[in-house]
Amino acid sequence: MVASIAFRPEPNAEALSPDLVLDALYGIVAAAETLTRRFDARVPGMDGHAFTPFALRQLAVAGRRGLPQVELARLLRMSPSSATRLIDALEGRGVVRREPHPNDRRINQIVLTVVGKALIEGLLDDLNRLADGLDQAALSDFTRRLSQLGSIPI
């Protein structure tokens, strides 16, 4: 017996074609791989650290104050030891630096360097090229739908 797959994005919606859904997922993965390759080309030796662009985004949002190492790990859904390895690699390439927390010597704040900020600008240029032709509403809708996919329990 062959299993039948019916994707239903909303309770009363018509079932989507599995081929269409798989093609869409393939496109998402291909785009992510393209961006990862571009990132790896910008920061050689970061292979295996797929969360690096997301880490840099979190640090860019945090601004000059940076983020505690434990908080960065939580935001990236990484174990503290995995985050330490990622931060070590980024620090070794001059992308981030550790600074003491102003109120707690036990905590390291992770802050982007000038190199890290330039890297973010380059990644934003890549993302803008990837999103070329999309208007704000289409990009917002795409982001919302990706978030829905990311919240589906497996």
Side-chain angles (χ1 to χ4, degrees):
M1 181 172 154
V2 176
S4 173
I5 301 173
F7 294 94
R8 297 182 191 280
E10 297 174 12
N12 295 321
E14 180 180 328
L16 297 174
S17 158
D19 288 339
L20 181 62
V21 172
L22 292 174
D23 285 348
L25 291 175
Y26 176 79
I28 292 166
V29 170
E33 288 174 348
T34 297
L35 289 171
T36 299
R37 280 193 306 277
R38 288 187 180 183
F39 177 82
D40 288 344
R42 291 179 188 279
V43 185
M46 290 304 297
D47 300 330
H49 292 289
F51 284 106
T52 306
F54 304 107
L56 295 177
R57 179 185 182 276
Q58 295 298 335
L59 291 170
V61 169
R64 286 185 299 180
R65 66 178 169 76
L67 281 174
Q69 192 165 322
V70 173
E71 176 67 6
L72 183 60
R74 186 190 66 75
L75 288 169
L76 297 175
R77 299 180 184 173
M78 299 175 95
S79 69
S81 61
S82 293
T84 297
R85 286 191 296 278
L86 173 62
I87 293 163
D88 287 346
L90 289 169
E91 189 173 39
R93 284 158 185 80
V95 176
V96 300
R97 70 178 176 274
R98 289 176 168 99
E99 292 183 354
H101 188 280
N103 302 322
D104 190 339
R105 296 182 323 174
R106 299 169 297 168
I107 298 174
N108 282 319
Q109 295 286 104
I110 309 305
V111 179
L112 282 175
T113 63
V114 172
V115 171
K117 290 174 187 173
L119 186 59
I120 290 284
E121 289 299 318
L123 289 171
L124 289 174
D125 288 344
D126 290 344
L127 288 172
N128 285 331
R129 281 194 294 282
L130 184 67
D132 190 34
L134 293 176
D135 62 24
Q136 190 71 34
L139 192 55
S140 293
D141 184 56
F142 178 68
T143 302
R144 182 181 58 79
R145 291 177 188 277
L146 281 178
S147 293
Q148 287 174 336
L149 284 174
S151 65
I152 294 172
I154 296 178

